[in-house]
Amino acid sequence: MAAGYLEILRARHAARLLTGTLVGRLPNATAAIAIVLFVRAGGGTYSLAGALAAAYGVANAVGQPVLGRLVDLCGQPRVQLPAAFASAVAMAVFAFAGTGSPVVAYGAVAAAGLFTPPLEGGLRALWPSVLGAEEQVHTAYAMDAVAQEVMFTVGPLLVTLCVSLWSAQAALLVVNVVGVLGALSVVVSPPSRAWRSAPRAAHWLGALRSPGLLALLAAFLFVGVAMGSITVATAVMRCTAG
């Protein structure tokens, strides 16, 4: 399996696209823990921190299919980079405004989640044009999934390191600036600029018309609730133990 991954990474543009996507998704991978640590650093309650992190997550779930459809219509560069920039600006507003105004705080984190660029879906759409053989594409999907899991593990560690070295506010700003740079690396690449969605008659619900997919999404809703609560619970236990 490792040999197959190395063969894919040797393909032209493959390593750049994978790395750029991972870096570009860093804000998404770290948003929950970064928001919780920032709110707590400002004296906010854990309930407020959890609610703001949830607002980001819900907005992200709403925005991804919408932005994905826009990518199909307009291409990757015209959607991914502006979305990454808008998400970073919204998180910067949250970082500087804090939680003094609940309306501003909730609006900022919701906007940050809503405009999170669908880089992972964009990368999956690019693999067939970057790789030749179909079996390589399937291997790339598996490698992509593994890499994303690594990012969601390493990302929170990077945030806590930034908080330890600087501050929770700096962590929010740094990861989002880095995320914009990752998105920029992807969208200026030749495969991303050349990619076009295959012509098709698309229903406005898209894949959501499938009953099986709806059942799967409902199941993952509860998985997401459980995983999202772990972030807040872990922060509570860390501070209590400290």
Side-chain angles (χ1 to χ4, degrees), residues 14 24 60 65 91 99 102 108 113 115 118 140 159 181 187 195 213 236:
N60 181 259
M91 195 59 83
T99 57
F115 288 106
V159 167
L181 295 177
V187 300
W195 180 86
L213 180 60
V236 173

Side-chain angles (χ1 to χ4, degrees), residues 2 5 42 48 57 65 70-71 79 87 114 116 126 128 139 149 152 189 226 233:
Y5 291 169
L48 175 61
L70 289 175
V71 168
V79 177
S87 179
L114 185 67
T116 299
L126 293 177
T139 303
E149 292 302 319
F152 274 83
S189 67

Side-chain angles (χ1 to χ4, degrees), residues 27 31 34-35 38 56 83-99 104-113 115-116 168-180:
I35 290 172
F38 175 74
Y56 177 94
F85 183 76
S87 179
V89 169
M91 195 59 83
V93 170
F94 175 61
F96 286 110
T99 57
V104 174
Y106 279 104
V109 296
F115 288 106
T116 299
Q169 182 190 57
L172 277 175
L173 297 173
V174 168
V175 297
N176 280 275
V177 169
V178 171
V180 172

Side-chain angles (χ1 to χ4, degrees), residues 143-154:
M143 179 185 66
D144 179 16
V146 171
Q148 299 297 336
E149 292 302 319
V150 171
M151 175 55 68
F152 274 83
T153 302
V154 175

Side-chain angles (χ1 to χ4, degrees), residues 68 71 101 134 158 203:
V71 168
S101 170
E134 183 177 353
L158 295 176
H203 190 274

Side-chain angles (χ1 to χ4, degrees), residues 15 25 35 45 49 62-65 87 129 131-132 150 161 186 189 197 210-211 218 222 235-236:
R25 295 199 70 213
I35 290 172
T45 63
V62 172
Q64 290 296 289
S87 179
S129 64
L131 304 173
V150 171
L161 179 62
V186 172
S189 67
S197 176
S210 169
F222 297 101
V236 173

Side-chain angles (χ1 to χ4, degrees), residues 216-230:
L216 184 64
L217 290 176
F220 273 104
L221 171 65
F222 297 101
V223 174
V225 170
M227 293 183 65
S229 64
I230 290 174

